Amino acid sequence: MNEQQRSMLLQSASSFPPPKGTKLSYGTAGFRADASILQSTVFRIGILAALRSLKTGGAVIGLMITASHNKVSDNGVKIADPSGGMITQDWEPFADCIANAPDPESLVQLINEFAKKENIPLDGAKTATVLLGRDTRPSGESLVKAAKQGICSVVGAVATDMGIITTPQLHWMVRARNKGLKASELDYFEQLSSSFRCLIDLIPKKSGDNNPIGKLIVDCANGVGGEKLQVLKEKLNGLHLEIRNSGESGILNEGVGADYVQKEKVAPQGFGPADVGIRCASLDGDADRLVYFTVISNGNNKINLVDGDKILSLFALFIKDQLSILSDKNEYQPRVGVVQTAYANGASTKYLNQLGLEVIFTPTGVKYLHGKAEEYDIGIYFEANGHGTILFSEHFLNWLEGRKNEPSSTTKEKQNAVKRLWAVSKLINQAVGDALSGLLLVEAILQHMGWSVDKWNELYHDLPSRQLKVKVADRSAVVTTYAETSVEKPPGIQEAINAITEKYPEGRCFVRPSGTEDVVRVYAEAKTQETADEVAASVAKLVDQFLGFTAS
Ligand code: 16G
Ligand code: MG
């Protein structure tokens, strides 16, 4: 590191003292905390983003300021790698180290050592580019400023502020920029709307009704998704859409949004008896999660939840149908992988297995699911909470491209299947789960099938489940294995969990330390709601005995 670089870093770092008495950690999806303590973290992650760009030969890196579905007073920061995916996990320990460096001197020393180890040129000879985005949180603006100062304290680094955008839009732009594709926000909307229109145009013509499935009402969590969905709505006339909770009056994520709807299994604010039976959807605060639901009549705000597992099943079914139209004996057979986590409802896994699909489990967190899905020609991944997407390999897309240009001997239906798969690959975000593109794909498939939301929901029946969280003295005392389905530490707890679940028909339960909150989570499933509740409550008690503040 030359003297100019060193003094730039020292000088800017002195304006961002770290919070006292708080240990910050990169977590499942970046740093998250009360926004008031994040200035120094975001500044330092700005530096990291610039270093990452230098390390990757000047590729564009993304830096997103969001705390997703968490409360409005929280905020967070995460980094997108050149592929548009999450930053490589190898860099997470460095992120933790610099976030917690006590003073500018030690920060600069850590950066210097890391740059040497990683051969990162810190002489200003190369340009680094970082794209910045933020959600609608009021704290976002000043955190973006802190990020810019961090980025600009690396010689030769340039920050481009994309303003208020969804998390998936930022990931999409990073990927597009690095592939030399059109990468503006307008291009994003154009790509989504044109591929959606293409899927609608390819629906086999039936009784003349061009939208047999009626209107959709979308709860936008009072977040960034509302404004963006409005743009899409204006571009698409084939979509009968009503937007609610777009943020004009309500509070971000408060009693609204995909996380609330999925965890509490109740209708969000602004929905009520007048909406009974209508197809509804919920996005989360930064629009990377999507769930559907219907309001049940006289049900005290109760809903029928159509969660990420059902979205996954719908996508998997559609992809499988299109592939089977195309399949020829002796021909290349694309490998399709379906990736779930332990939270996936057991009934969904059974259904996917019955479809003959390969189902793989990973730990919770997009970085794990995404990485696994990338191993397939078509990798479909979803968390039950509504985060997921479909990834297509270059190899598969090249094959598809070849089929597009095949002679006219191929049947029309085959040509259409090729066009549909191609359109899906353009519509569904290839960088990360995206509620807006996911919503358009669900809508296109439902229209294709002519299915109501109830028909879709009937694909299989969820086993009743319950999620609880337990506050513990130290969540890192829980160590899990086998994709979080079994606890290794503390010893003895897994045996005790097994002894409880064994007593209940179709009982299944796991515990895992949260990656975003200071709690241990408990998930239980059983044949009835009462028994699922019982299993969850007994296991939560057990966790408290082993690890709670009351534990000896
Ligand atoms: C984050 C993850 C999400 C995961 C959740 C689990 C990303 C982009 N998001 O929101 O995938 O389901 O954390 O939270 O990776 P938990 O560890 O607190 O249960
Ligand atoms: Mg989110």
Side-chain angles (χ1 to χ4, degrees):
M1 183 185 301
N2 63 25
E3 206 35 55
Q4 182 204 7
Q5 176 63 86
R6 194 182 141 73
S7 68
M8 265 171 83
L9 283 169
L10 280 175
Q11 199 183 359
S12 51
S14 62
S15 315
F16 293 96
K20 290 213 164 63
T22 316
K23 188 163 185 305
L24 295 143
S25 135
Y26 194 82
T28 315
F31 292 97
R32 273 187 207 169
D34 191 278
S36 62
I37 63 162
L38 278 174
Q39 287 282 337
S40 108
T41 313
V42 170
F43 163 79
R44 291 159 182 220
I45 295 309
I47 299 175
L48 178 143
L51 297 179
R52 184 77 191 140
S53 175
L54 290 175
K55 169 75 188 181
T56 53
V60 175
I61 297 292
L63 186 154
M64 183 73 195
I65 305 287
T66 178
S68 182
H69 56 279
N70 294 126
K71 54 182 191 274
V72 66
S73 53
D74 285 355
N75 216 326
V77 56
K78 60 181 165 189
I79 299 291
D81 243 1
S83 64
M86 303 295 168
I87 189 169
T88 171
Q89 288 168 51
D90 302 351
W91 276 45
E92 289 182 8
F94 175 60
D96 287 347
C97 281
I98 57 169
N100 294 299
D103 49 55
E105 278 293 342
S106 47
L107 174 67
V108 173
Q109 195 184 338
L110 284 169
I111 293 170
N112 196 23
E113 282 164 11
F114 186 73
K116 266 195 200 141
K117 187 180 114 222
E118 294 277 332
N119 277 328
I120 299 170
L122 276 180
D123 50 11
K126 279 232 170 74
T127 312
T129 311
V130 183
L131 288 193
L132 295 167
R134 64 180 165 102
D135 69 16
T136 53
R137 288 176 159 80
S139 56
E141 210 173 330
S142 76
L143 289 173
V144 161
K145 276 193 194 140
K148 278 185 191 163
Q149 293 203 37
I151 296 160
C152 296
S153 59
V154 173
V155 183
V158 182
T160 310
D161 188 356
M162 307 310 293
I164 295 180
I165 51 176
T166 71
T167 299
Q169 280 184 312
L170 181 74
H171 286 260
W172 184 95
M173 288 170 185
V174 167
R175 177 177 185 273
R177 282 279 296 264
N178 287 316
K179 282 184 157 277
L181 303 169
K182 289 181 176 175
S184 71
E185 186 172 20
L186 187 63
D187 295 322
Y188 170 88
F189 288 126
E190 283 298 326
Q191 184 167 324
L192 263 59
S193 50
S194 62
S195 45
F196 174 76
R197 250 184 256 116
C198 178
L199 282 169
I200 299 296
D201 291 345
L202 287 164
I203 295 175
K205 295 281 169 286
K206 284 180 200 133
S207 54
D209 185 352
N210 65 3
N211 183 356
I213 61 168
K215 94 166 166 184
L216 166 73
I217 311 174
V218 187
D219 153 38
C220 297
N222 292 321
V224 57
E227 178 198 322
K228 306 301 177 188
L229 192 55
Q230 184 61 36
V231 180
L232 276 173
K233 183 182 168 181
E234 282 157 23
K235 286 187 173 289
L236 293 166
N237 45 19
L239 198 63
H240 189 180
L241 191 83
E242 185 186 326
I243 296 174
R244 290 196 194 157
N245 301 332
S246 58
E248 270 128 43
S249 49
I251 299 172
L252 177 72
N253 297 330
E254 206 168 288
V256 292
D259 191 61
Y260 175 76
V261 168
Q262 190 248 346
K263 292 231 172 71
E264 305 297 326
K265 299 207 183 100
V266 291
Q269 267 171 31
F271 286 70
D275 305 314
V276 168
I278 300 176
R279 191 169 74 266
C280 300
S282 249
L283 323 178
D284 76 336
D286 63 338
D288 67 352
R289 289 193 197 176
L290 170 71
V291 295
Y292 273 69
F293 64 92
T294 53
V295 180
I296 302 174
S297 62
N298 301 326
N300 293 337
N301 251 2
K302 288 229 174 76
I303 56 164
N304 280 321
L305 176 69
V306 187
D307 64 2
D309 301 336
K310 276 257 161 72
I311 299 176
L312 168 69
S313 302
L314 183 72
F315 288 179
L317 183 66
F318 183 73
I319 296 283
K320 189 174 178 283
D321 281 356
Q322 300 312 308
L323 287 175
S324 64
I325 296 173
L326 283 182
S327 85
D328 281 325
K329 270 194 209 121
N330 311 324
E331 249 234 62
Y332 156 69
Q333 300 284 341
R335 265 189 85 211
V336 181
V338 177
V339 190
Q340 297 193 302
T341 73
Y343 285 111
N345 195 280
S348 74
T349 311
K350 199 166 160 192
Y351 172 77
L352 292 160
N353 279 325
Q354 274 164 6
L355 284 183
L357 292 164
E358 183 180 342
V359 184
I360 316 99
F361 285 84
T362 70
T364 302
V366 173
K367 55 194 173 195
Y368 303 113
L369 289 113
H370 192 95
K372 195 43 139 180
E374 276 177 328
E375 293 174 14
Y376 291 82
D377 291 314
I378 304 178
I380 316 174
Y381 74 86
F382 258 89
E383 293 188 310
N385 62 26
H387 189 116
T389 193
I390 310 173
L391 301 181
F392 295 88
S393 71
E394 285 295 324
H395 182 244
F396 175 74
L397 290 175
N398 287 339
W399 175 77
L400 211 54
E401 180 108 59
R403 300 275 318 227
K404 253 179 161 178
N405 305 324
E406 257 177 27
S408 51
S409 59
T410 20
T411 65
K412 182 98 187 132
E413 195 39 21
K414 281 193 178 180
Q415 282 171 12
N416 285 346
V418 168
K419 287 184 195 157
R420 284 187 199 110
L421 288 167
W422 189 258
V424 173
S425 79
K426 295 285 168 213
L427 173 56
I428 200 84
N429 197 322
Q430 295 298 288
V432 78
D434 179 342
L436 299 181
S437 75
L439 179 141
L440 292 183
L441 184 55
V442 168
E443 293 300 304
I445 298 177
L446 290 180
Q447 285 197 35
H448 179 97
M449 308 276 211
W451 279 6
S452 68
V453 63
D454 296 326
K455 175 100 198 255
W456 169 25
N457 205 17
E458 288 290 311
L459 278 181
Y460 59 83
H461 294 278
D462 276 330
L463 278 167
S465 67
R466 176 65 59 204
Q467 289 193 47
L468 296 174
K469 53 183 177 183
V470 187
K471 283 214 176 296
V472 296
D474 175 15
R475 67 180 151 146
S476 67
V478 180
V479 180
T480 61
T481 178
Y482 298 116
E484 299 178 326
T485 53
S486 183
V487 186
E488 236 171 22
K489 280 183 196 158
I493 193 166
Q494 187 58 48
E495 290 72 14
I497 295 172
N498 295 347
I500 293 170
T501 48
E502 266 162 21
K503 286 192 244 154
Y504 294 90
E506 299 186 62
R508 178 171 77 91
C509 183
F510 67 90
V511 304
R512 55 174 282 276
S514 161
T516 63
E517 266 186 86
D518 229 353
V519 296
V520 169
R521 299 201 192 281
V522 176
Y523 174 92
E525 238 172 52
K527 200 161 183 188
T528 65
Q529 191 60 56
E530 291 69 34
T531 51
D533 291 351
E534 268 177 51
V535 176
S538 312
V539 172
K541 212 167 137 196
L542 199 71
V543 172
D544 190 53
Q545 279 161 9
F546 270 79
L547 294 147
F549 291 104
T550 50
S552 55

mmCIF file of all heavy atoms in Angstrom, residues 477-509:
data_model
loop_
_atom_site.group_PDB
_atom_site.id
_atom_site.type_symbol
_atom_site.label_atom_id
_atom_site.label_comp_id
_atom_site.label_asym_id
_atom_site.label_seq_id
_atom_site.Cartn_x
_atom_site.Cartn_y
_atom_site.Cartn_z
ATOM 1 N N ALA A 477 -23.728 -21.573 20.487
ATOM 2 C CA ALA A 477 -23.555 -22.849 21.186
ATOM 3 C C ALA A 477 -24.290 -23.979 20.448
ATOM 4 O O ALA A 477 -24.032 -25.157 20.687
ATOM 5 C CB ALA A 477 -24.079 -22.737 22.613
ATOM 6 N N VAL A 478 -25.199 -23.604 19.534
ATOM 7 C CA VAL A 478 -25.909 -24.632 18.754
ATOM 8 C C VAL A 478 -25.169 -24.852 17.442
ATOM 9 O O VAL A 478 -25.010 -23.928 16.641
ATOM 10 C CB VAL A 478 -27.365 -24.214 18.457
ATOM 11 C CG1 VAL A 478 -28.079 -25.279 17.643
ATOM 12 C CG2 VAL A 478 -28.114 -23.940 19.742
ATOM 13 N N VAL A 479 -24.720 -26.084 17.240
ATOM 14 C CA VAL A 479 -24.028 -26.422 15.993
ATOM 15 C C VAL A 479 -24.832 -27.533 15.317
ATOM 16 O O VAL A 479 -25.121 -28.558 15.938
ATOM 17 C CB VAL A 479 -22.584 -26.898 16.267
ATOM 18 C CG1 VAL A 479 -21.874 -27.251 14.974
ATOM 19 C CG2 VAL A 479 -21.810 -25.818 17.024
ATOM 20 N N THR A 480 -25.191 -27.292 14.056
ATOM 21 C CA THR A 480 -26.039 -28.277 13.374
ATOM 22 C C THR A 480 -25.263 -28.993 12.268
ATOM 23 O O THR A 480 -24.205 -28.539 11.844
ATOM 24 C CB THR A 480 -27.262 -27.587 12.736
ATOM 25 O OG1 THR A 480 -26.779 -26.654 11.778
ATOM 26 C CG2 THR A 480 -28.115 -26.890 13.776
ATOM 27 N N THR A 481 -25.848 -30.073 11.798
ATOM 28 C CA THR A 481 -25.248 -30.810 10.674
ATOM 29 C C THR A 481 -26.372 -31.350 9.785
ATOM 30 O O THR A 481 -27.546 -31.136 10.082
ATOM 31 C CB THR A 481 -24.328 -31.927 11.219
ATOM 32 O OG1 THR A 481 -23.806 -32.646 10.107
ATOM 33 C CG2 THR A 481 -25.061 -32.910 12.115
ATOM 34 N N TYR A 482 -26.007 -32.037 8.716
ATOM 35 C CA TYR A 482 -26.980 -32.563 7.749
ATOM 36 C C TYR A 482 -27.993 -31.485 7.352
ATOM 37 O O TYR A 482 -29.202 -31.625 7.590
ATOM 38 C CB TYR A 482 -27.696 -33.801 8.297
ATOM 39 C CG TYR A 482 -26.755 -34.941 8.566
ATOM 40 C CD1 TYR A 482 -26.567 -35.409 9.865
ATOM 41 C CD2 TYR A 482 -26.035 -35.520 7.539
ATOM 42 C CE1 TYR A 482 -25.688 -36.448 10.128
ATOM 43 C CE2 TYR A 482 -25.155 -36.550 7.782
ATOM 44 C CZ TYR A 482 -24.976 -36.995 9.080
ATOM 45 O OH TYR A 482 -24.093 -37.997 9.325
ATOM 46 N N ALA A 483 -27.497 -30.402 6.757
ATOM 47 C CA ALA A 483 -28.351 -29.307 6.300
ATOM 48 C C ALA A 483 -29.326 -28.870 7.394
ATOM 49 O O ALA A 483 -30.517 -28.673 7.147
ATOM 50 C CB ALA A 483 -29.081 -29.688 5.011
ATOM 51 N N GLU A 484 -28.791 -28.721 8.577
ATOM 52 C CA GLU A 484 -29.514 -28.189 9.745
ATOM 53 C C GLU A 484 -30.607 -29.107 10.272
ATOM 54 O O GLU A 484 -31.405 -28.692 11.110
ATOM 55 C CB GLU A 484 -30.111 -26.802 9.438
ATOM 56 C CG GLU A 484 -29.066 -25.770 9.081
ATOM 57 C CD GLU A 484 -29.646 -24.411 8.736
ATOM 58 O OE1 GLU A 484 -30.746 -24.372 8.150
ATOM 59 O OE2 GLU A 484 -28.996 -23.413 9.025
ATOM 60 N N THR A 485 -30.641 -30.350 9.817
ATOM 61 C CA THR A 485 -31.709 -31.230 10.297
ATOM 62 C C THR A 485 -31.334 -31.910 11.610
ATOM 63 O O THR A 485 -32.165 -32.568 12.226
ATOM 64 C CB THR A 485 -32.052 -32.310 9.245
ATOM 65 O OG1 THR A 485 -30.830 -32.973 8.897
ATOM 66 C CG2 THR A 485 -32.679 -31.709 8.009
ATOM 67 N N SER A 486 -30.084 -31.811 12.020
ATOM 68 C CA SER A 486 -29.663 -32.502 13.234
ATOM 69 C C SER A 486 -28.699 -31.611 14.030
ATOM 70 O O SER A 486 -27.892 -30.894 13.448
ATOM 71 C CB SER A 486 -28.972 -33.809 12.813
ATOM 72 O OG SER A 486 -28.616 -34.536 13.941
ATOM 73 N N VAL A 487 -28.819 -31.669 15.364
ATOM 74 C CA VAL A 487 -27.948 -30.839 16.211
ATOM 75 C C VAL A 487 -26.783 -31.678 16.728
ATOM 76 O O VAL A 487 -26.987 -32.755 17.283
ATOM 77 C CB VAL A 487 -28.719 -30.268 17.427
ATOM 78 C CG1 VAL A 487 -27.832 -29.307 18.208
ATOM 79 C CG2 VAL A 487 -29.974 -29.566 16.976
ATOM 80 N N GLU A 488 -25.579 -31.141 16.529
ATOM 81 C CA GLU A 488 -24.376 -31.843 16.979
ATOM 82 C C GLU A 488 -24.009 -31.401 18.389
ATOM 83 O O GLU A 488 -23.570 -32.175 19.226
ATOM 84 C CB GLU A 488 -23.233 -31.464 16.038
ATOM 85 C CG GLU A 488 -22.559 -32.643 15.400
ATOM 86 C CD GLU A 488 -21.591 -32.150 14.328
ATOM 87 O OE1 GLU A 488 -21.151 -30.984 14.362
ATOM 88 O OE2 GLU A 488 -21.295 -32.942 13.451
ATOM 89 N N LYS A 489 -24.183 -30.076 18.609
ATOM 90 C CA LYS A 489 -23.850 -29.493 19.908
ATOM 91 C C LYS A 489 -24.971 -28.564 20.324
ATOM 92 O O LYS A 489 -25.503 -27.874 19.454
ATOM 93 C CB LYS A 489 -22.547 -28.676 19.796
ATOM 94 C CG LYS A 489 -21.309 -29.502 19.822
ATOM 95 C CD LYS A 489 -20.123 -28.553 19.785
ATOM 96 C CE LYS A 489 -18.856 -29.313 19.413
ATOM 97 N NZ LYS A 489 -17.843 -28.435 18.882
ATOM 98 N N PRO A 490 -25.305 -28.477 21.596
ATOM 99 C CA PRO A 490 -24.732 -29.209 22.728
ATOM 100 C C PRO A 490 -25.116 -30.689 22.689
ATOM 101 O O PRO A 490 -26.200 -31.026 22.181
ATOM 102 C CB PRO A 490 -25.371 -28.534 23.950
ATOM 103 C CG PRO A 490 -26.572 -27.838 23.434
ATOM 104 C CD PRO A 490 -26.364 -27.535 22.004
ATOM 105 N N PRO A 491 -24.231 -31.553 23.186
ATOM 106 C CA PRO A 491 -24.507 -32.982 23.126
ATOM 107 C C PRO A 491 -25.771 -33.338 23.894
ATOM 108 O O PRO A 491 -26.077 -32.726 24.909
ATOM 109 C CB PRO A 491 -23.269 -33.615 23.776
ATOM 110 C CG PRO A 491 -22.526 -32.508 24.434
ATOM 111 C CD PRO A 491 -22.952 -31.219 23.815
ATOM 112 N N GLY A 492 -26.497 -34.306 23.346
ATOM 113 C CA GLY A 492 -27.676 -34.813 24.063
ATOM 114 C C GLY A 492 -28.978 -34.175 23.621
ATOM 115 O O GLY A 492 -30.044 -34.786 23.705
ATOM 116 N N ILE A 493 -28.893 -32.968 23.053
ATOM 117 C CA ILE A 493 -30.155 -32.280 22.723
ATOM 118 C C ILE A 493 -30.894 -32.968 21.563
ATOM 119 O O ILE A 493 -32.112 -33.105 21.576
ATOM 120 C CB ILE A 493 -29.915 -30.763 22.452
ATOM 121 C CG1 ILE A 493 -31.258 -30.024 22.424
ATOM 122 C CG2 ILE A 493 -29.138 -30.514 21.212
ATOM 123 C CD1 ILE A 493 -31.116 -28.512 22.503
ATOM 124 N N GLN A 494 -30.125 -33.473 20.562
ATOM 125 C CA GLN A 494 -30.785 -34.112 19.424
ATOM 126 C C GLN A 494 -31.554 -35.366 19.870
ATOM 127 O O GLN A 494 -32.685 -35.589 19.427
ATOM 128 C CB GLN A 494 -29.769 -34.462 18.327
ATOM 129 C CG GLN A 494 -30.415 -34.982 17.045
ATOM 130 C CD GLN A 494 -31.403 -33.980 16.432
ATOM 131 O OE1 GLN A 494 -31.106 -32.793 16.281
ATOM 132 N NE2 GLN A 494 -32.621 -34.441 16.100
ATOM 133 N N GLU A 495 -30.955 -36.140 20.748
ATOM 134 C CA GLU A 495 -31.627 -37.345 21.256
ATOM 135 C C GLU A 495 -32.929 -36.938 21.951
ATOM 136 O O GLU A 495 -33.969 -37.581 21.794
ATOM 137 C CB GLU A 495 -30.725 -38.105 22.248
ATOM 138 C CG GLU A 495 -29.512 -38.802 21.617
ATOM 139 C CD GLU A 495 -28.411 -37.851 21.151
ATOM 140 O OE1 GLU A 495 -28.439 -36.660 21.538
ATOM 141 O OE2 GLU A 495 -27.539 -38.294 20.360
ATOM 142 N N ALA A 496 -32.862 -35.850 22.712
ATOM 143 C CA ALA A 496 -34.060 -35.394 23.424
ATOM 144 C C ALA A 496 -35.127 -34.912 22.437
ATOM 145 O O ALA A 496 -36.324 -35.165 22.626
ATOM 146 C CB ALA A 496 -33.686 -34.281 24.398
ATOM 147 N N ILE A 497 -34.691 -34.263 21.347
ATOM 148 C CA ILE A 497 -35.662 -33.822 20.316
ATOM 149 C C ILE A 497 -36.307 -35.053 19.667
ATOM 150 O O ILE A 497 -37.521 -35.125 19.494
ATOM 151 C CB ILE A 497 -34.975 -32.942 19.238
ATOM 152 C CG1 ILE A 497 -34.473 -31.646 19.864
ATOM 153 C CG2 ILE A 497 -35.911 -32.665 18.080
ATOM 154 C CD1 ILE A 497 -33.615 -30.776 18.930
ATOM 155 N N ASN A 498 -35.459 -36.039 19.342
ATOM 156 C CA ASN A 498 -35.992 -37.266 18.724
ATOM 157 C C ASN A 498 -37.025 -37.927 19.611
ATOM 158 O O ASN A 498 -38.066 -38.398 19.137
ATOM 159 C CB ASN A 498 -34.864 -38.267 18.448
ATOM 160 C CG ASN A 498 -33.891 -37.747 17.410
ATOM 161 O OD1 ASN A 498 -34.180 -36.763 16.729
ATOM 162 N ND2 ASN A 498 -32.728 -38.400 17.308
ATOM 163 N N ALA A 499 -36.746 -37.954 20.906
ATOM 164 C CA ALA A 499 -37.662 -38.615 21.839
ATOM 165 C C ALA A 499 -39.021 -37.915 21.829
ATOM 166 O O ALA A 499 -40.061 -38.563 21.979
ATOM 167 C CB ALA A 499 -37.063 -38.609 23.248
ATOM 168 N N ILE A 500 -39.024 -36.615 21.594
ATOM 169 C CA ILE A 500 -40.310 -35.897 21.541
ATOM 170 C C ILE A 500 -41.022 -36.182 20.220
ATOM 171 O O ILE A 500 -42.182 -36.575 20.198
ATOM 172 C CB ILE A 500 -40.090 -34.372 21.712
ATOM 173 C CG1 ILE A 500 -39.594 -34.077 23.131
ATOM 174 C CG2 ILE A 500 -41.367 -33.598 21.418
ATOM 175 C CD1 ILE A 500 -39.111 -32.643 23.349
ATOM 176 N N THR A 501 -40.314 -35.999 19.096
ATOM 177 C CA THR A 501 -40.989 -36.126 17.795
ATOM 178 C C THR A 501 -41.509 -37.544 17.542
ATOM 179 O O THR A 501 -42.559 -37.715 16.934
ATOM 180 C CB THR A 501 -40.062 -35.712 16.626
ATOM 181 O OG1 THR A 501 -38.808 -36.356 16.801
ATOM 182 C CG2 THR A 501 -39.859 -34.232 16.572
ATOM 183 N N GLU A 502 -40.775 -38.522 18.044
ATOM 184 C CA GLU A 502 -41.192 -39.919 17.852
ATOM 185 C C GLU A 502 -42.610 -40.198 18.345
ATOM 186 O O GLU A 502 -43.293 -41.078 17.840
ATOM 187 C CB GLU A 502 -40.256 -40.842 18.654
ATOM 188 C CG GLU A 502 -39.109 -41.384 17.847
ATOM 189 C CD GLU A 502 -37.993 -41.907 18.749
ATOM 190 O OE1 GLU A 502 -38.265 -42.209 19.925
ATOM 191 O OE2 GLU A 502 -36.844 -41.974 18.247
ATOM 192 N N LYS A 503 -43.026 -39.433 19.309
ATOM 193 C CA LYS A 503 -44.348 -39.702 19.918
ATOM 194 C C LYS A 503 -45.495 -39.233 19.027
ATOM 195 O O LYS A 503 -46.650 -39.543 19.300
ATOM 196 C CB LYS A 503 -44.432 -38.938 21.257
ATOM 197 C CG LYS A 503 -43.612 -39.568 22.363
ATOM 198 C CD LYS A 503 -43.979 -38.925 23.696
ATOM 199 C CE LYS A 503 -42.782 -38.189 24.252
ATOM 200 N NZ LYS A 503 -43.036 -37.113 25.136
ATOM 201 N N TYR A 504 -45.193 -38.465 17.988
ATOM 202 C CA TYR A 504 -46.276 -37.862 17.206
ATOM 203 C C TYR A 504 -46.274 -38.382 15.768
ATOM 204 O O TYR A 504 -45.230 -38.400 15.113
ATOM 205 C CB TYR A 504 -46.086 -36.340 17.171
ATOM 206 C CG TYR A 504 -46.246 -35.702 18.528
ATOM 207 C CD1 TYR A 504 -45.151 -35.537 19.369
ATOM 208 C CD2 TYR A 504 -47.506 -35.277 18.973
ATOM 209 C CE1 TYR A 504 -45.295 -34.954 20.613
ATOM 210 C CE2 TYR A 504 -47.656 -34.695 20.221
ATOM 211 C CZ TYR A 504 -46.550 -34.532 21.040
ATOM 212 O OH TYR A 504 -46.693 -33.958 22.270
ATOM 213 N N PRO A 505 -47.463 -38.774 15.265
ATOM 214 C CA PRO A 505 -47.523 -39.208 13.863
ATOM 215 C C PRO A 505 -47.041 -38.089 12.938
ATOM 216 O O PRO A 505 -47.428 -36.930 13.119
ATOM 217 C CB PRO A 505 -49.020 -39.493 13.639
ATOM 218 C CG PRO A 505 -49.610 -39.622 14.999
ATOM 219 C CD PRO A 505 -48.753 -38.846 15.944
ATOM 220 N N GLU A 506 -46.218 -38.474 11.999
ATOM 221 C CA GLU A 506 -45.611 -37.551 11.011
ATOM 222 C C GLU A 506 -44.871 -36.385 11.673
ATOM 223 O O GLU A 506 -44.725 -35.311 11.090
ATOM 224 C CB GLU A 506 -46.652 -37.039 10.016
ATOM 225 C CG GLU A 506 -47.265 -38.202 9.226
ATOM 226 C CD GLU A 506 -48.190 -37.742 8.120
ATOM 227 O OE1 GLU A 506 -47.707 -37.053 7.206
ATOM 228 O OE2 GLU A 506 -49.379 -38.091 8.168
ATOM 229 N N GLY A 507 -44.420 -36.620 12.910
ATOM 230 C CA GLY A 507 -43.704 -35.562 13.639
ATOM 231 C C GLY A 507 -42.307 -35.353 13.070
ATOM 232 O O GLY A 507 -41.604 -36.304 12.727
ATOM 233 N N ARG A 508 -41.930 -34.075 12.900
ATOM 234 C CA ARG A 508 -40.571 -33.737 12.474
ATOM 235 C C ARG A 508 -40.237 -32.400 13.116
ATOM 236 O O ARG A 508 -41.095 -31.518 13.207
ATOM 237 C CB ARG A 508 -40.506 -33.612 10.946
ATOM 238 C CG ARG A 508 -39.141 -33.217 10.410
ATOM 239 C CD ARG A 508 -39.101 -33.321 8.871
ATOM 240 N NE ARG A 508 -39.767 -32.227 8.205
ATOM 241 C CZ ARG A 508 -39.168 -31.091 7.832
ATOM 242 N NH1 ARG A 508 -37.876 -30.903 8.069
ATOM 243 N NH2 ARG A 508 -39.842 -30.138 7.225
ATOM 244 N N CYS A 509 -39.029 -32.277 13.575
ATOM 245 C CA CYS A 509 -38.667 -31.029 14.231
ATOM 246 C C CYS A 509 -37.166 -30.790 14.100
ATOM 247 O O CYS A 509 -36.393 -31.748 14.132
ATOM 248 C CB CYS A 509 -39.054 -31.107 15.709
ATOM 249 S SG CYS A 509 -38.716 -29.592 16.593
#
